Amino acid sequence: MPARPTARISRRQFTRTVAGAATAAASASFHVRAAAKSPAKRKRVALVTTIVRKFSHGQHFVDRLLEGYGWHGQHHESPLELVSLFAEQSPEGDLCRDRSQRHGVKLCPTIAEALTLGTSRLAVDGVLIIGEHGDYPRDAKGQPLYPRFRFFKDVVKTFERTNATAPVFQDKHFAMDWREAQETYRDAQRLGFPLMAGSSLPVTWRIPAIEVPLGAPLVESVGVGYGHHGYYDIHTIETAQCMSERRAGGEVGVKSVQAFKNDAVWRLLGERESTRRLCFAALNRSQTLKALPGRTFAEPSVEHLQRVSPFAVAYVFEHHDGFRTTIFHFNGTGTAFSRDTAALNDFTYAGLTQRGDVLSTLMFLPMPPTMSTLASFFSPLVNHIERMVLTGQTAWPIERNYLTTGMTLFAVDSLYSDGAKLATPDLRIRYQPTPGPHFWLG
Protein backbone atom coordinates (compact mmCIF):
# COMPACT_ATOMS: atom_id res chain seq x y z
CA MET A 1 0.00 0.00 0.00
CA PRO A 2 1.49 3.40 -0.89
CA ALA A 3 2.29 5.67 2.01
CA ARG A 4 3.79 9.10 2.30
CA PRO A 5 7.23 9.39 3.85
CA THR A 6 6.99 10.66 7.40
CA ALA A 7 9.36 11.25 10.24
CA ARG A 8 10.08 7.97 12.00
CA ILE A 9 9.40 7.79 15.71
CA SER A 10 9.96 4.93 18.11
CA ARG A 11 7.16 2.92 19.71
CA ARG A 12 8.08 4.44 23.06
CA GLN A 13 7.91 7.96 21.62
CA PHE A 14 4.57 7.25 19.96
CA THR A 15 3.05 5.79 23.15
CA ARG A 16 4.36 8.72 25.19
CA THR A 17 2.89 11.20 22.70
CA VAL A 18 -0.52 9.50 22.77
CA ALA A 19 -0.50 9.60 26.57
CA GLY A 20 0.58 13.23 26.45
CA ALA A 21 -2.38 14.10 24.24
CA ALA A 22 -4.72 12.60 26.82
CA THR A 23 -3.01 14.61 29.59
CA ALA A 24 -3.44 17.75 27.51
CA ALA A 25 -7.10 16.82 27.12
CA ALA A 26 -7.54 16.68 30.88
CA SER A 27 -5.93 20.12 31.17
CA ALA A 28 -8.19 21.47 28.40
CA SER A 29 -11.24 20.13 30.24
CA PHE A 30 -10.29 22.21 33.28
CA HIS A 31 -10.16 25.36 31.19
CA VAL A 32 -13.51 24.49 29.61
CA ARG A 33 -15.07 24.40 33.07
CA ALA A 34 -13.52 27.71 33.98
CA ALA A 35 -14.78 29.34 30.78
CA ALA A 36 -18.27 27.87 31.00
CA LYS A 37 -19.64 30.24 33.65
CA SER A 38 -22.53 32.30 32.34
CA PRO A 39 -21.74 35.89 31.42
CA ALA A 40 -23.84 38.73 32.81
CA LYS A 41 -25.86 38.87 29.60
CA ARG A 42 -26.50 35.52 28.00
CA LYS A 43 -26.31 35.21 24.26
CA ARG A 44 -29.60 34.26 22.64
CA VAL A 45 -30.11 31.34 20.28
CA ALA A 46 -32.89 29.91 18.14
CA LEU A 47 -33.38 26.19 17.61
CA VAL A 48 -34.89 24.87 14.38
CA THR A 49 -35.87 21.22 14.38
CA THR A 50 -38.10 18.57 12.88
CA ILE A 51 -39.56 17.26 16.11
CA VAL A 52 -39.23 17.46 19.91
CA ARG A 53 -40.28 14.28 21.69
CA LYS A 54 -38.55 12.06 24.23
CA PHE A 55 -35.18 10.78 22.97
CA SER A 56 -35.38 12.74 19.72
CA HIS A 57 -32.30 14.77 18.81
CA GLY A 58 -34.40 17.91 19.18
CA GLN A 59 -35.18 17.03 22.81
CA HIS A 60 -31.54 16.30 23.62
CA PHE A 61 -30.45 19.77 22.46
CA VAL A 62 -33.47 21.71 23.77
CA ASP A 63 -33.29 20.30 27.29
CA ARG A 64 -29.54 20.86 27.66
CA LEU A 65 -29.92 24.49 26.66
CA LEU A 66 -32.89 25.02 28.96
CA GLU A 67 -32.07 22.88 31.99
CA GLY A 68 -28.34 22.28 31.81
CA TYR A 69 -26.38 19.05 32.06
CA GLY A 70 -23.74 17.29 34.12
CA TRP A 71 -20.24 18.48 33.23
CA HIS A 72 -17.08 17.35 35.02
CA GLY A 73 -18.80 16.61 38.30
CA GLN A 74 -20.91 19.76 38.37
CA HIS A 75 -24.29 20.82 37.01
CA HIS A 76 -23.56 23.14 34.11
CA GLU A 77 -26.11 25.82 33.21
CA SER A 78 -25.86 26.90 29.61
CA PRO A 79 -24.42 30.38 29.01
CA LEU A 80 -26.86 30.57 26.09
CA GLU A 81 -30.52 31.52 26.31
CA LEU A 82 -32.86 29.54 24.08
CA VAL A 83 -35.39 32.23 23.17
CA SER A 84 -37.22 30.67 20.21
CA LEU A 85 -38.11 27.25 18.87
CA PHE A 86 -39.41 26.11 15.50
CA ALA A 87 -40.53 22.46 15.26
CA GLU A 88 -41.99 21.38 11.92
CA GLN A 89 -43.97 18.43 13.27
CA SER A 90 -46.01 17.98 16.46
CA PRO A 91 -46.73 14.27 16.93
CA GLU A 92 -48.16 12.47 19.95
CA GLY A 93 -45.76 13.01 22.82
CA ASP A 94 -44.63 16.42 21.54
CA LEU A 95 -42.75 18.36 24.23
CA CYS A 96 -42.65 21.83 22.67
CA ARG A 97 -45.62 23.30 24.51
CA ASP A 98 -44.42 21.94 27.84
CA ARG A 99 -40.95 23.40 27.40
CA SER A 100 -42.39 26.70 26.24
CA GLN A 101 -44.66 27.03 29.26
CA ARG A 102 -41.96 25.92 31.69
CA HIS A 103 -39.19 28.15 30.38
CA GLY A 104 -40.87 30.93 28.40
CA VAL A 105 -39.47 29.87 25.05
CA LYS A 106 -41.30 31.41 22.12
CA LEU A 107 -42.82 28.81 19.77
CA CYS A 108 -42.61 30.14 16.23
CA PRO A 109 -44.63 29.14 13.14
CA THR A 110 -41.73 29.87 10.76
CA ILE A 111 -37.96 29.73 10.81
CA ALA A 112 -37.78 33.41 9.89
CA GLU A 113 -39.81 34.37 12.96
CA ALA A 114 -37.64 32.17 15.18
CA LEU A 115 -34.57 34.11 14.03
CA THR A 116 -36.11 37.59 14.09
CA LEU A 117 -38.66 37.17 16.90
CA GLY A 118 -41.15 38.88 14.63
CA THR A 119 -39.01 41.95 13.98
CA SER A 120 -37.20 43.17 10.86
CA ARG A 121 -33.74 42.34 12.24
CA LEU A 122 -31.80 39.26 13.29
CA ALA A 123 -32.64 38.89 16.97
CA VAL A 124 -30.44 35.92 17.96
CA ASP A 125 -26.72 35.33 18.38
CA GLY A 126 -26.72 31.74 17.15
CA VAL A 127 -28.83 29.10 15.39
CA LEU A 128 -29.07 25.34 15.90
CA ILE A 129 -30.49 23.22 13.05
CA ILE A 130 -31.53 19.75 14.21
CA GLY A 131 -32.91 17.89 11.20
CA GLU A 132 -33.26 14.40 12.65
CA HIS A 133 -36.29 12.20 13.46
CA GLY A 134 -39.88 12.79 12.44
CA ASP A 135 -42.24 11.45 9.79
CA TYR A 136 -40.54 12.06 6.42
CA PRO A 137 -40.50 10.11 3.14
CA ARG A 138 -37.49 8.05 2.07
CA ASP A 139 -35.62 8.07 -1.21
CA ALA A 140 -34.92 5.04 -3.38
CA LYS A 141 -31.85 4.20 -1.25
CA GLY A 142 -33.85 4.15 1.96
CA GLN A 143 -32.53 7.46 3.27
CA PRO A 144 -35.09 9.59 5.13
CA LEU A 145 -35.43 12.95 3.43
CA TYR A 146 -34.89 15.08 6.49
CA PRO A 147 -35.26 18.78 5.65
CA ARG A 148 -31.79 19.87 6.80
CA PHE A 149 -31.00 21.71 3.59
CA ARG A 150 -34.42 23.38 3.44
CA PHE A 151 -34.04 24.52 7.05
CA PHE A 152 -30.53 25.77 6.33
CA LYS A 153 -31.67 27.75 3.27
CA ASP A 154 -34.44 29.40 5.31
CA VAL A 155 -31.80 30.47 7.82
CA VAL A 156 -29.55 31.81 5.03
CA LYS A 157 -32.44 33.73 3.46
CA THR A 158 -33.15 35.36 6.81
CA PHE A 159 -29.48 36.29 7.16
CA GLU A 160 -29.56 37.86 3.70
CA ARG A 161 -32.81 39.72 4.28
CA THR A 162 -31.65 41.16 7.63
CA ASN A 163 -28.10 41.81 6.39
CA ALA A 164 -26.73 40.03 9.47
CA THR A 165 -25.38 36.58 10.33
CA ALA A 166 -24.70 34.44 13.38
CA PRO A 167 -22.89 31.15 14.09
CA VAL A 168 -24.82 28.06 12.95
CA PHE A 169 -24.67 24.47 14.13
CA GLN A 170 -26.09 21.68 11.94
CA ASP A 171 -26.64 18.26 13.45
CA LYS A 172 -24.90 15.35 11.67
CA HIS A 173 -24.16 15.71 7.94
CA PHE A 174 -25.28 18.55 5.70
CA ALA A 175 -27.89 16.90 3.47
CA MET A 176 -28.98 13.72 1.69
CA ASP A 177 -28.01 15.16 -1.70
CA TRP A 178 -24.47 16.14 -2.71
CA ARG A 179 -25.50 19.25 -4.62
CA GLU A 180 -27.35 20.48 -1.54
CA ALA A 181 -24.29 19.74 0.59
CA GLN A 182 -22.10 21.75 -1.78
CA GLU A 183 -24.49 24.70 -1.61
CA THR A 184 -24.52 24.50 2.19
CA TYR A 185 -20.75 24.80 2.37
CA ARG A 186 -20.59 27.54 -0.26
CA ASP A 187 -23.31 29.61 1.43
CA ALA A 188 -21.40 29.58 4.71
CA GLN A 189 -18.20 30.58 2.92
CA ARG A 190 -19.96 33.27 0.90
CA LEU A 191 -21.65 34.91 3.88
CA GLY A 192 -18.73 34.30 6.22
CA PHE A 193 -20.56 32.93 9.27
CA PRO A 194 -19.12 30.19 11.51
CA LEU A 195 -20.64 26.81 10.64
CA MET A 196 -20.12 23.75 12.80
CA ALA A 197 -21.68 20.34 12.18
CA GLY A 198 -21.45 16.68 13.04
CA SER A 199 -22.58 13.93 15.38
CA SER A 200 -21.55 13.08 18.93
CA LEU A 201 -19.04 10.41 17.89
CA PRO A 202 -15.94 12.66 17.64
CA VAL A 203 -16.67 14.31 21.01
CA THR A 204 -18.00 11.55 23.24
CA TRP A 205 -15.94 9.61 25.81
CA ARG A 206 -13.21 7.32 24.51
CA ILE A 207 -12.16 4.08 26.18
CA PRO A 208 -9.21 4.35 26.47
CA ALA A 209 -9.09 8.16 26.45
CA ILE A 210 -6.52 8.58 23.67
CA GLU A 211 -5.93 11.11 20.94
CA VAL A 212 -3.92 10.65 17.76
CA PRO A 213 -0.97 13.05 18.04
CA LEU A 214 -0.93 15.74 15.36
CA GLY A 215 1.42 14.66 12.58
CA ALA A 216 1.28 10.98 13.54
CA PRO A 217 2.66 8.59 10.87
CA LEU A 218 -0.71 6.89 10.28
CA VAL A 219 -1.10 4.91 7.05
CA GLU A 220 -4.52 3.27 7.50
CA SER A 221 -7.70 3.61 9.58
CA VAL A 222 -10.63 1.31 10.28
CA GLY A 223 -13.95 2.23 11.87
CA VAL A 224 -16.41 -0.45 13.01
CA GLY A 225 -20.05 0.24 13.78
CA TYR A 226 -23.65 -0.53 13.00
CA GLY A 227 -26.84 1.06 11.75
CA HIS A 228 -29.15 1.81 8.87
CA HIS A 229 -27.20 2.23 5.65
CA GLY A 230 -27.40 5.73 4.32
CA TYR A 231 -28.20 8.18 7.07
CA TYR A 232 -26.50 6.18 9.88
CA ASP A 233 -23.18 5.62 8.09
CA ILE A 234 -22.06 9.11 9.08
CA HIS A 235 -21.40 7.92 12.65
CA THR A 236 -18.77 5.34 11.75
CA ILE A 237 -17.26 7.56 9.06
CA GLU A 238 -16.85 10.39 11.58
CA THR A 239 -15.41 7.91 14.09
CA ALA A 240 -12.57 7.19 11.68
CA GLN A 241 -12.15 10.64 10.12
CA CYS A 242 -11.71 12.57 13.37
CA MET A 243 -8.68 10.34 13.99
CA SER A 244 -7.36 9.99 10.41
CA GLU A 245 -7.24 13.75 9.80
CA ARG A 246 -4.50 14.10 12.44
CA ARG A 247 -1.95 12.17 10.35
CA ALA A 248 1.19 13.74 8.96
CA GLY A 249 0.25 16.32 6.34
CA GLY A 250 -3.38 16.60 7.48
CA GLU A 251 -6.33 15.70 5.30
CA VAL A 252 -5.92 15.88 1.51
CA GLY A 253 -9.27 14.48 0.35
CA VAL A 254 -10.72 11.23 -0.96
CA LYS A 255 -10.21 10.09 -4.56
CA SER A 256 -12.45 7.00 -4.64
CA VAL A 257 -14.94 4.91 -2.69
CA GLN A 258 -16.11 1.34 -3.10
CA ALA A 259 -18.80 -0.53 -1.18
CA PHE A 260 -18.71 -4.24 -0.32
CA LYS A 261 -21.60 -6.37 0.89
CA ASN A 262 -21.89 -9.77 2.60
CA ASP A 263 -19.56 -12.29 0.85
CA ALA A 264 -17.52 -9.46 -0.66
CA VAL A 265 -16.80 -8.22 2.88
CA TRP A 266 -15.36 -11.60 3.89
CA ARG A 267 -13.19 -11.65 0.77
CA LEU A 268 -11.96 -8.15 1.56
CA LEU A 269 -10.98 -9.19 5.08
CA GLY A 270 -9.27 -12.28 3.73
CA GLU A 271 -7.21 -10.41 1.16
CA ARG A 272 -6.06 -7.37 3.19
CA GLU A 273 -4.00 -8.43 6.20
CA SER A 274 -3.53 -4.91 7.59
CA THR A 275 -7.25 -4.11 7.29
CA ARG A 276 -8.16 -7.40 8.96
CA ARG A 277 -5.71 -6.70 11.78
CA LEU A 278 -7.21 -3.26 12.37
CA CYS A 279 -10.78 -4.58 12.20
CA PHE A 280 -10.04 -7.16 14.88
CA ALA A 281 -8.21 -4.57 17.02
CA ALA A 282 -11.29 -2.33 16.86
CA LEU A 283 -13.62 -5.24 17.65
CA ASN A 284 -11.53 -6.11 20.68
CA ARG A 285 -12.51 -2.68 22.04
CA SER A 286 -16.22 -3.41 21.55
CA GLN A 287 -18.37 -3.94 24.64
CA THR A 288 -21.28 -5.43 22.70
CA LEU A 289 -19.92 -7.90 20.11
CA LYS A 290 -22.24 -10.91 20.19
CA ALA A 291 -20.90 -14.25 21.35
CA LEU A 292 -22.19 -17.63 20.22
CA PRO A 293 -25.09 -19.18 22.20
CA GLY A 294 -23.90 -20.34 25.60
CA ARG A 295 -20.77 -18.15 25.45
CA THR A 296 -20.08 -14.80 27.08
CA PHE A 297 -17.02 -13.75 25.10
CA ALA A 298 -16.23 -13.72 21.39
CA GLU A 299 -12.72 -13.58 19.98
CA PRO A 300 -12.98 -11.62 16.72
CA SER A 301 -12.39 -13.68 13.60
CA VAL A 302 -13.80 -13.79 10.09
CA GLU A 303 -15.49 -17.09 10.90
CA HIS A 304 -17.16 -15.66 13.99
CA LEU A 305 -18.35 -12.56 12.14
CA GLN A 306 -19.85 -14.74 9.41
CA ARG A 307 -21.86 -16.59 12.06
CA VAL A 308 -23.17 -13.62 14.01
CA SER A 309 -23.41 -11.15 11.13
CA PRO A 310 -24.09 -12.72 7.73
CA PHE A 311 -25.38 -9.26 6.79
CA ALA A 312 -22.32 -6.98 6.59
CA VAL A 313 -21.28 -3.91 4.64
CA ALA A 314 -17.89 -2.25 4.16
CA TYR A 315 -16.79 0.97 2.50
CA VAL A 316 -13.20 1.51 1.34
CA PHE A 317 -12.03 5.10 0.85
CA GLU A 318 -8.76 5.79 -0.95
CA HIS A 319 -7.27 9.18 -0.07
CA HIS A 320 -5.11 11.25 -2.40
CA ASP A 321 -1.98 10.67 -0.30
CA GLY A 322 -2.24 6.86 -0.39
CA PHE A 323 -3.98 6.68 3.00
CA ARG A 324 -6.85 4.20 3.26
CA THR A 325 -9.97 4.25 5.42
CA THR A 326 -12.24 1.22 5.71
CA ILE A 327 -15.63 1.30 7.43
CA PHE A 328 -17.37 -1.91 8.56
CA HIS A 329 -20.98 -2.34 9.63
CA PHE A 330 -21.88 -5.71 11.13
CA ASN A 331 -25.64 -5.53 11.27
CA GLY A 332 -26.27 -9.13 12.28
CA THR A 333 -28.76 -11.62 10.94
CA GLY A 334 -31.40 -9.40 9.38
CA THR A 335 -31.41 -7.89 5.91
CA ALA A 336 -32.59 -4.62 7.50
CA PHE A 337 -30.98 -3.11 10.59
CA SER A 338 -32.41 -3.89 14.03
CA ARG A 339 -30.67 -3.41 17.36
CA ASP A 340 -32.04 -6.77 18.45
CA THR A 341 -30.33 -8.68 15.64
CA ALA A 342 -27.21 -6.55 15.13
CA ALA A 343 -23.87 -8.21 15.88
CA LEU A 344 -22.81 -5.18 17.94
CA ASN A 345 -24.12 -1.84 19.15
CA ASP A 346 -21.10 0.41 19.48
CA PHE A 347 -18.47 2.28 17.48
CA THR A 348 -14.76 1.49 17.60
CA TYR A 349 -11.61 2.67 15.83
CA ALA A 350 -8.15 1.32 15.01
CA GLY A 351 -5.29 3.01 13.18
CA LEU A 352 -2.00 1.64 11.84
CA THR A 353 1.26 3.58 11.93
CA GLN A 354 4.04 3.41 9.40
CA ARG A 355 6.16 1.18 11.62
CA GLY A 356 3.30 -1.22 12.37
CA ASP A 357 1.93 0.00 15.70
CA VAL A 358 -1.84 -0.12 16.24
CA LEU A 359 -3.81 2.57 18.07
CA SER A 360 -7.39 1.61 19.03
CA THR A 361 -10.26 2.91 21.11
CA LEU A 362 -14.02 2.74 21.72
CA MET A 363 -16.15 5.83 21.14
CA PHE A 364 -18.44 5.25 24.11
CA LEU A 365 -22.05 6.01 23.21
CA PRO A 366 -24.39 4.65 25.91
CA MET A 367 -27.68 4.73 24.02
CA PRO A 368 -30.93 5.32 25.92
CA PRO A 369 -33.12 3.71 27.03
CA THR A 370 -31.23 0.38 27.02
CA MET A 371 -27.80 1.60 28.21
CA SER A 372 -28.68 4.83 30.02
CA THR A 373 -31.52 7.17 30.93
CA LEU A 374 -29.77 10.19 29.41
CA ALA A 375 -27.99 10.48 26.10
CA SER A 376 -25.11 12.19 27.90
CA PHE A 377 -22.91 12.01 24.82
CA PHE A 378 -24.84 15.04 23.53
CA SER A 379 -23.41 17.13 26.37
CA PRO A 380 -19.92 17.68 24.90
CA LEU A 381 -21.49 18.53 21.55
CA VAL A 382 -23.68 21.18 23.20
CA ASN A 383 -20.63 22.45 25.08
CA HIS A 384 -18.78 22.98 21.81
CA ILE A 385 -21.82 24.79 20.39
CA GLU A 386 -21.90 27.08 23.42
CA ARG A 387 -18.26 28.00 22.95
CA MET A 388 -18.77 28.62 19.22
CA VAL A 389 -21.62 31.07 19.91
CA LEU A 390 -19.65 32.79 22.68
CA THR A 391 -16.38 33.12 20.75
CA GLY A 392 -17.33 32.91 17.07
CA GLN A 393 -14.77 30.11 16.66
CA THR A 394 -15.58 26.53 15.64
CA ALA A 395 -13.86 23.65 17.45
CA TRP A 396 -12.89 21.86 14.22
CA PRO A 397 -12.80 22.83 10.54
CA ILE A 398 -16.14 22.62 8.77
CA GLU A 399 -14.23 20.96 5.91
CA ARG A 400 -14.24 17.79 8.00
CA ASN A 401 -18.04 17.72 7.86
CA TYR A 402 -18.08 18.71 4.20
CA LEU A 403 -15.82 15.73 3.48
CA THR A 404 -17.67 13.23 5.70
CA THR A 405 -20.98 14.30 4.15
CA GLY A 406 -19.57 13.46 0.71
CA MET A 407 -17.99 10.23 1.95
CA THR A 408 -21.37 9.14 3.30
CA LEU A 409 -23.35 10.03 0.19
CA PHE A 410 -20.91 8.55 -2.34
CA ALA A 411 -20.50 5.39 -0.25
CA VAL A 412 -24.23 4.81 -0.40
CA ASP A 413 -24.16 5.49 -4.16
CA SER A 414 -21.55 2.73 -4.52
CA LEU A 415 -23.57 0.36 -2.35
CA TYR A 416 -26.65 0.86 -4.51
CA SER A 417 -24.55 0.52 -7.68
CA ASP A 418 -23.65 -3.09 -6.84
CA GLY A 419 -20.32 -2.13 -5.30
CA ALA A 420 -18.96 -0.12 -8.23
CA LYS A 421 -15.76 1.76 -7.46
CA LEU A 422 -16.59 5.44 -7.80
CA ALA A 423 -14.13 8.23 -8.49
CA THR A 424 -14.83 11.21 -6.22
CA PRO A 425 -13.17 14.30 -7.70
CA ASP A 426 -15.49 16.55 -5.67
CA LEU A 427 -13.99 15.16 -2.46
CA ARG A 428 -10.52 16.62 -2.99
CA ILE A 429 -11.12 18.59 0.18
CA ARG A 430 -7.96 19.64 2.00
CA TYR A 431 -7.76 20.89 5.56
CA GLN A 432 -5.62 20.88 8.67
CA PRO A 433 -7.14 19.65 11.95
CA THR A 434 -7.27 21.91 14.98
CA PRO A 435 -5.09 20.83 17.91
CA GLY A 436 -7.94 19.79 20.20
CA PRO A 437 -8.56 17.54 21.90
CA HIS A 438 -12.30 17.79 21.36
CA PHE A 439 -13.57 14.64 23.05
CA TRP A 440 -14.97 14.41 26.59
CA LEU A 441 -12.81 13.22 29.46
CA GLY A 442 -15.56 13.85 32.04
Side-chain angles (χ1 to χ4, degrees):
M1 181 184 64
R4 291 163 296 119
T6 56
R8 297 180 67 85
I9 61 174
S10 69
R11 286 182 172 85
R12 180 175 296 178
Q13 287 173 314
F14 183 73
T15 303
R16 188 165 58 242
T17 306
V18 171
T23 303
S27 176
S29 298
F30 174 83
H31 293 298
V32 169
R33 292 198 300 273
K37 295 179 181 179
S38 299
K41 183 178 180 181
R42 299 163 73 197
K43 291 203 172 186
R44 307 200 297 178
V45 296
L47 192 142
V48 174
T49 187
T50 50
I51 190 174
V52 182
R53 57 169 169 73
K54 188 173 182 179
F55 296 143
S56 69
H57 279 214
Q59 178 256 314
H60 292 311
F61 285 96
V62 165
D63 283 354
R64 280 166 176 77
L65 291 172
L66 292 177
E67 299 180 351
Y69 50 90
W71 190 250
H72 296 284
Q74 301 177 18
H75 185 76
H76 169 84
E77 293 184 3
S78 178
L80 308 181
E81 180 184 4
L82 179 61
V83 294
S84 58
L85 174 62
F86 168 85
E88 187 165 67
Q89 298 182 359
S90 301
E92 184 178 353
D94 175 68
L95 299 174
C96 290
R97 192 169 300 279
D98 172 81
R99 299 307 191 260
S100 174
Q101 293 173 349
R102 192 190 308 176
H103 296 282
V105 179
K106 179 179 176 66
L107 300 182
C108 299
T110 66
I111 291 173
E113 184 171 326
L115 271 60
T116 64
L117 299 180
T119 70
S120 59
R121 61 179 181 84
L122 184 65
V124 295
D125 303 296
V127 182
L128 285 72
I129 302 174
I130 315 299
E132 182 80 1
H133 297 127
D135 184 16
Y136 292 92
R138 293 176 181 261
D139 65 14
K141 302 168 189 171
Q143 299 178 111
L145 298 176
Y146 292 133
R148 295 173 191 166
F149 179 67
R150 174 162 53 84
F151 285 1
F152 179 82
K153 291 301 291 186
D154 280 354
V155 169
V156 167
K157 289 174 185 175
T158 302
F159 285 172
E160 291 174 327
R161 189 174 67 253
T162 60
N163 197 31
T165 64
V168 175
F169 171 77
Q170 189 166 41
D171 189 26
K172 296 178 70 172
H173 53 306
F174 292 171
M176 304 300 175
D177 177 270
W178 179 238
R179 288 170 297 181
E180 293 178 350
Q182 289 177 303
E183 190 169 340
T184 297
Y185 178 77
R186 290 166 182 166
D187 277 348
Q189 297 297 300
R190 176 174 58 85
L191 295 181
F193 59 85
L195 175 62
M196 192 163 71
S199 73
S200 298
L201 267 302
V203 299
T204 192
W205 301 281
R206 296 178 188 175
I207 305 174
I210 59 174
E211 181 63 284
V212 174
L214 282 176
L218 285 180
V219 295
E220 184 175 359
S221 280
V222 163
V224 179
Y226 67 94
H228 304 273
H229 298 303
Y231 67 98
Y232 222 77
D233 295 322
I234 186 64
H235 296 108
T236 322
I237 289 171
E238 281 199 326
T239 292
Q241 185 58 29
C242 72
M243 309 293 266
S244 302
E245 68 188 17
R246 300 176 70 83
R247 66 189 184 273
E251 183 53 62
V252 296
V254 171
K255 67 178 181 180
S256 69
V257 59
Q258 185 172 11
F260 299 80
K261 187 175 180 180
N262 300 340
D263 288 344
V265 173
W266 315 130
R267 289 194 296 271
L268 176 69
L269 283 169
E271 293 168 359
R272 292 185 174 173
E273 189 277 333
S274 62
T275 304
R276 182 172 67 251
R277 181 186 176 197
L278 291 178
C279 179
F280 293 169
L283 285 170
N284 273 307
R285 294 293 186 186
S286 173
Q287 298 184 356
T288 61
L289 178 62
K290 279 193 175 179
L292 295 177
R295 306 284 184 94
T296 57
F297 176 77
E299 179 181 0
S301 68
V302 174
E303 293 74 20
H304 179 74
L305 290 171
Q306 287 175 308
R307 292 191 190 100
V308 298
S309 188
F311 184 59
V313 167
Y315 303 122
V316 176
F317 301 94
E318 300 288 349
H319 298 247
H320 282 280
D321 55 0
F323 190 84
R324 182 168 64 214
T325 300
T326 306
I327 301 299
F328 292 99
H329 279 182
F330 297 115
N331 277 345
T333 56
T335 55
F337 171 73
S338 166
R339 291 188 190 278
D340 295 332
T341 59
L344 49 82
N345 275 267
D346 49 23
F347 298 91
T348 53
Y349 168 82
L352 181 68
T353 71
Q354 200 171 50
R355 61 179 297 138
D357 297 316
V358 172
L359 176 72
S360 63
T361 191
L362 163 74
M363 270 60 173
F364 187 50
L365 208 73
M367 196 70 70
T370 55
M371 297 176 68
S372 68
T373 56
L374 296 172
S376 294
F377 44 86
F378 278 95
S379 297
L381 194 53
V382 172
N383 200 267
H384 281 300
I385 295 167
E386 291 170 349
R387 281 184 280 165
M388 175 185 68
V389 174
L390 292 175
T391 67
Q393 301 295 317
T394 61
W396 52 85
I398 193 59
E399 284 77 15
R400 176 208 288 172
N401 307 100
Y402 190 26
L403 179 61
T404 54
T405 295
M407 292 169 73
T408 300
L409 298 178
F410 286 110
V412 176
D413 284 348
S414 175
L415 181 64
Y416 282 86
S417 300
D418 296 322
K421 186 173 184 178
L422 304 180
T424 55
D426 285 349
L427 300 188
R428 197 177 188 107
I429 299 168
R430 294 175 174 269
Y431 66 93
Q432 292 293 325
T434 50
H438 306 121
F439 68 98
W440 193 10
L441 275 93

